[in-house]
Amino acid sequence: MLKKFWKFVSSMKFAITLLVLLALACAAGSFLTQHQSYEWYASRYSERTAAVIYALGLDDVYHSLWFLILTAALCCNLLFCNLLRIRPLIRKTKEFSDPQTLRSSPAAHAEITQRPQAVFEALHFPKPKEIEQNTEKALFSKRNGIGIWGAWICHFGILLLILGFALGQTTGVEYAVYGVAGQTKPIADTGYLLTIDDFRIGLNEDDTVSQYTASLTVSDGKNGEAQSAQVSVNDPASLFGYQFYQNSTGWAADVSIRKSGALLQQETLCAGESLAVRDLPSLALCFNAFYPDFVMIEGKGPSTASGKLLNPAYLYSLYYGDELIGMNALLSGEVITVDDYEIRFSNPQNYTVIQIKRDRFTPLALLGGLITMIGLILAFYLPPKRLLAIPDPSGYSLIGQSLKGGLLFSEQLSAAVKEVSGQSDP
Amino acid sequence: MLYAENILFTAVMLIYFAAMIFFFVFVAVKKDLIAKIGVLLLCAGLLLHTAALVCRGIGAGRLPMTNQYEFAASFAWGLCLVSLVFILKFKFPMLGVFAAPVIFLVIGYAAMQSREVRALMPALQSRWLGFHVATAIISYGAFGVSFVISLIFLLRERMKDQGFFDLHTPKREKLDLISYRSVCLGLLFLTFTIVTGAIWAQRAWGSYWSWDPKETWSLVTWLVYAVYLHLRIRRGWRGKSAAIFAVAGFVCVIFTYIGVNTLLPGIHSYA
């Protein structure tokens, strides 16, 4: 029973089934919008469909239990298949080097009266060795023996790739810190502090963005040790063992709240953030969006005509408790007044989102990818070939074999014999 | 330079169209000379197409592989290149009869896209862009050739008594082998595409795999062709079954290329 199970798990039939299921799962995950709430699916489709989506984990296909089981099963299949194939492949490699086995294998045949070495040369074989063959001296050569291991190496690479990815997903950490130049924020619970020294957006002549660049300083909260670097898109930096990426950007603005004319509080808010009034926490301001060149488009609502700060406007919502008491787009210089409180927006500026990651297994996944590529090259483009020239009364009998593309090799052998024999193609 | 590219691109379209007509006439009048002219036109088209891409590259000041127009034009170039390699290597001009319309369709699709040259967005400013897109072009081109050869194989199956068709196409076994080789080339380069894309994504977004629709469909295509290869070994799928599978596989390639961009936008939506 166990032997049967072992055989099935390592079988190619099982591998094909898994590959088909994984392809279907991946396709399903790409069509169905992922990471949405039950209510979202219910409103988009129906209650019943939403229930099915949630029951099957289709709202997050690539992290669902069944998808992980399929991937784990593929890893087991690759592992067991490769383990079981080691001995047969070693045997095959030995047999490949043994000219005696050529006679019993499906092979290409040809006859030549003289100069068999020239055929070896025409087919790019290394210089043939003389071997004893039934008391006569035959010639034998082989090439691309490593190609026998191509598929094995490819499977090994895929296994490493999946392993590296899985370990990275489970042990890696990822944080995001956002802020404007001059701000210092903690990096989650790592004990490190991130200071955004500077953030610049480079523009092309046509006003499109050429690059986002942030200057960062990371300091150790315990001993004060600090490291600085500059990051831009496609050019991350490594500080204290973490990778820092320039991820995205958005608009921020200074918000000042005055009570009876006196400054009560002043903070920098990024679009999407909220702020509660210090001495009246039930009054809260939400900075919804920012329009640098504000225009109101009929039927579309507020928008921006360009990325330049020509007519800045701040879209806000004001809450008292749970109640929405106001929502509007505030132009520069305008004030929101609620009883004794005056709220103003000023100094619009870009904030940066810095992504911070540590994944020690990325090199393993990369190595897996490289090994997979090498395996495929060996499997597809280094077909193991061998050729034996045995003397016979009319000259030499040639027996050749290619473990892949035998038909083409047979044609190549015939063409090489014709070329060497000086015959012309019909 | 961009003006020269415009002229060259129009010329290339006309030449590919002419090549397609010559290949159709070859089937109608059954004269080998006509097929040779068709092959020569494809060669000329490829040369001018290369010149057009070079002009585009110089004019834009970067590799011409960053938007729908440039990728479609490069895809047609890759398809033409791989087709010519197989036509010349296997002395197989009949391949041109089926490849030329596909090349013309792809270049026609390119012509419908905006040719405006825009500055590269920051995420595209990477030395990996060239490797990633160039390998994708070869991969798609190879899968395209495998699709065309499989169509020829299936047609040959249906036209068993066609003397002319038999005379100008390799034997069934060889057609099957050429299609298989083409799939191998495509799969190898698709692996290069996925790996170089992953390295690039790691530098640009800090994540080498994000289940973006384009990534996911590249993986689906990879899995489909991996199934094709395993079925050939496990079940001895050769000939008709393999040809049907290769045609279905190319549907995945086309969906990955066009379908994903139009139906499933993600971080590759500029591609």
Side-chain angles (χ1 to χ4, degrees):
Chain A
M1 188 70 183
L2 194 67
K3 198 175 173 185
K4 261 190 175 178
F5 175 75
W6 172 262
K7 202 175 170 186
F8 174 73
V9 171
S10 61
S11 70
M12 198 181 282
K13 191 177 176 180
F14 187 50
I16 291 168
T17 310
L18 290 171
L19 290 175
V20 171
L21 290 175
L22 280 169
L24 290 173
C26 290
S30 71
F31 283 119
L32 192 66
T33 310
Q34 301 284 286
H35 309 296
Q36 299 298 323
S37 66
Y38 183 90
E39 291 72 26
W40 190 91
Y41 290 115
S43 65
R44 180 83 185 258
Y45 306 106
S46 68
E47 279 284 339
R48 183 179 285 185
T49 311
V52 171
I53 287 171
Y54 258 68
L56 297 177
L58 293 172
D59 59 309
D60 189 7
V61 169
Y62 310 116
H63 298 99
S64 64
L65 183 64
W66 58 269
F67 189 83
L68 297 179
I69 290 172
L70 280 180
T71 312
L74 183 68
C75 288
C76 291
N77 175 262
L78 287 168
L79 180 68
F80 295 149
C81 167
N82 261 17
L83 286 175
L84 284 177
R85 283 177 66 193
I86 290 176
R87 284 175 70 180
L89 282 177
I90 292 171
R91 194 166 59 238
K92 198 172 178 181
T93 308
K94 280 182 186 164
E95 281 175 8
F96 184 71
S97 305
D98 179 5
Q100 298 297 338
T101 58
L102 194 50
R103 292 187 157 195
S104 56
S105 312
H109 296 269
E111 297 286 336
I112 192 163
T113 51
Q114 56 185 345
R115 295 174 57 223
Q117 292 90 342
V119 178
F120 283 91
E121 205 173 304
L123 293 171
H124 310 293
F125 276 96
K127 197 178 171 189
K129 287 177 189 167
E130 278 195 355
I131 55 162
E132 285 289 329
Q133 188 83 12
N134 298 335
T135 69
E136 287 187 307
K137 288 205 168 156
L139 296 172
F140 176 73
S141 184
K142 62 181 169 65
R143 66 184 174 105
N144 302 344
I146 186 76
I148 292 171
W149 291 83
W152 193 94
I153 292 169
C154 175
H155 287 170
F156 179 64
I158 295 169
L159 199 57
L160 281 188
L161 181 68
I162 298 174
L163 191 70
F165 183 70
L167 288 171
Q169 291 281 303
T170 47
T171 65
V173 289
E174 183 175 348
Y175 312 107
V177 172
Y178 60 95
V180 297
Q183 284 188 321
T184 298
K185 292 192 172 180
I187 304 173
D189 54 358
T190 58
Y192 291 104
L193 296 169
L194 173 68
T195 303
I196 299 161
D197 299 317
D198 189 24
F199 177 57
R200 295 178 304 280
I201 299 179
L203 296 176
N204 295 307
E205 283 174 7
D206 60 357
D207 284 337
T208 55
V209 175
S210 64
Q211 189 54 277
Y212 303 97
T213 307
S215 299
L216 310 173
T217 298
V218 177
S219 51
D220 189 333
K222 290 172 195 162
N223 56 24
E225 189 190 341
Q227 293 180 4
S228 297
Q230 187 169 285
V231 294
S232 52
V233 180
N234 272 311
D235 194 12
S238 180
L239 302 170
F240 290 109
Y242 290 89
Q243 291 291 318
F244 289 76
Y245 298 89
Q246 170 55 49
N247 185 287
S248 57
T249 183
W251 284 97
D254 291 343
V255 177
S256 62
I257 302 174
R258 288 175 180 275
K259 187 180 180 186
S260 307
L263 186 64
L264 183 68
Q265 68 190 104
Q266 183 161 11
E267 289 187 34
T268 302
L269 274 193
C270 297
E273 284 187 323
S274 301
L275 175 72
V277 176
R278 197 173 289 155
D279 64 350
L280 185 61
S282 49
L283 183 63
L285 173 81
C286 180
F287 177 20
N288 300 111
F290 177 75
Y291 305 98
D293 191 4
F294 178 72
V295 282
M296 185 62 87
I297 300 172
E298 189 127 346
K300 196 181 165 191
S303 186
T304 187
S306 71
K308 292 179 183 170
L309 280 170
L310 296 176
N311 184 27
Y314 311 82
L315 184 70
Y316 71 91
S317 314
L318 207 58
Y319 291 87
Y320 190 81
D322 291 336
E323 192 186 344
L324 178 69
I325 58 169
M327 185 176 184
N328 206 350
L330 199 69
L331 291 171
S332 218
E334 290 183 333
V335 182
I336 310 166
T337 307
V338 184
D339 296 335
D340 294 342
Y341 298 97
E342 283 183 350
I343 305 170
R344 283 173 207 272
F345 284 92
S346 61
N347 188 26
Q349 55 188 308
N350 286 108
Y351 70 83
T352 175
V353 180
I354 303 295
Q355 190 183 3
I356 301 134
K357 285 195 76 169
R358 189 169 63 188
D359 176 358
R360 297 186 197 281
F361 294 97
T362 297
L364 182 67
L366 179 63
L367 181 69
L370 292 175
I371 292 175
T372 305
M373 292 197 298
I374 291 169
L376 285 176
I377 292 171
L378 295 179
F380 294 154
Y381 293 100
L382 287 177
K385 292 175 184 176
R386 50 188 184 156
L387 186 61
L388 180 67
I390 308 165
D392 66 14
S394 59
Y396 285 88
S397 173
L398 296 166
I399 308 171
Q401 186 193 26
S402 173
L403 296 186
K404 274 187 189 138
L407 178 70
L408 286 182
F409 181 66
S410 192
E411 287 180 6
Q412 285 165 355
L413 178 63
S414 302
V417 167
K418 274 179 192 168
E419 187 191 319
V420 172
S421 306
Q423 293 172 1
S424 57
D425 240 350
Chain B
M1 271 297 170
L2 291 173
Y3 180 69
E5 187 250 347
N6 258 326
I7 293 171
L8 283 169
F9 183 81
T10 310
V12 167
M13 273 191 72
L14 290 173
I15 289 173
Y16 285 152
F17 181 72
M20 182 177 76
I21 297 298
F22 267 91
F23 279 118
F24 287 166
V25 172
F26 159 63
V27 176
V29 303
K30 302 179 174 54
K31 289 203 170 166
D32 289 354
L33 180 67
I34 309 284
K36 281 181 184 164
I37 296 173
V39 175
L40 281 175
L41 281 171
L42 277 186
C43 292
L46 184 71
L47 280 177
L48 288 184
H49 201 155
T50 311
L53 290 174
V54 169
C55 286
R56 176 87 183 178
I58 295 170
R62 54 171 168 74
L63 284 171
M65 299 172 175
T66 58
N67 56 30
Q68 283 279 19
Y69 162 70
E70 290 172 356
F71 189 81
S74 301
F75 180 20
W77 181 87
L79 203 55
C80 187
L81 174 74
V82 180
S83 301
L84 275 172
V85 167
F86 278 78
I87 287 171
L88 298 174
K89 182 173 178 183
F90 295 105
K91 297 182 179 65
F92 182 17
M94 185 62 91
L95 177 60
V97 177
F98 296 85
V102 179
I103 296 167
F104 183 69
L105 271 178
V106 178
I107 199 110
Y109 174 74
M112 290 190 288
Q113 309 300 316
S114 164
R115 292 194 209 176
E116 189 186 354
V117 174
R118 286 186 176 174
L120 280 187
M121 56 193 285
L124 293 177
Q125 295 166 21
S126 166
R127 67 175 78 95
W128 289 101
L129 170 74
F131 294 112
H132 179 61
V133 184
T135 51
I137 287 162
I138 302 288
S139 166
Y140 286 13
F143 287 136
V145 168
S146 146
F147 162 75
V148 166
I149 293 168
S150 299
L151 280 185
I152 294 173
F153 184 97
L154 294 172
L155 212 61
R156 199 185 154 134
E157 282 277 298
R158 290 180 72 90
M159 302 163 67
K160 279 173 185 157
D161 300 328
Q162 268 276 1
F164 169 76
F165 204 74
D166 282 0
L167 201 68
H168 288 85
T169 51
K171 285 187 285 186
R172 291 172 73 249
E173 294 77 13
K174 196 166 175 180
L175 272 179
D176 180 61
L177 189 68
I178 300 171
S179 175
Y180 163 73
R181 288 236 165 158
S182 196
V183 166
C184 291
L185 182 70
L187 189 72
L188 176 67
F189 274 85
L190 181 61
T191 313
F192 286 164
T193 307
I194 293 173
V195 172
T196 51
I199 296 170
W200 180 14
Q202 175 69 25
R203 285 192 70 78
W205 297 300
S207 172
Y208 55 88
W209 194 264
S210 317
W211 295 108
D212 164 70
K214 196 79 159 184
E215 288 175 354
T216 306
W217 272 91
S218 297
L219 178 63
V220 171
T221 307
W222 195 94
L223 290 169
V224 166
Y225 282 107
V227 170
Y228 167 92
L229 291 180
H230 284 84
L231 282 173
R232 281 184 76 95
I233 303 166
R234 170 71 174 81
R235 296 176 68 96
W237 272 35
R238 298 282 193 279
K240 196 175 172 183
S241 317
I244 292 170
F245 206 111
V247 170
F250 191 64
V251 174
C252 274
V253 174
I254 291 297
F255 186 80
T256 307
Y257 169 41
I258 300 172
V260 171
N261 288 351
T262 49
L263 299 174
L264 308 168
I267 51 178
H268 277 84
S269 49
Y270 43 77

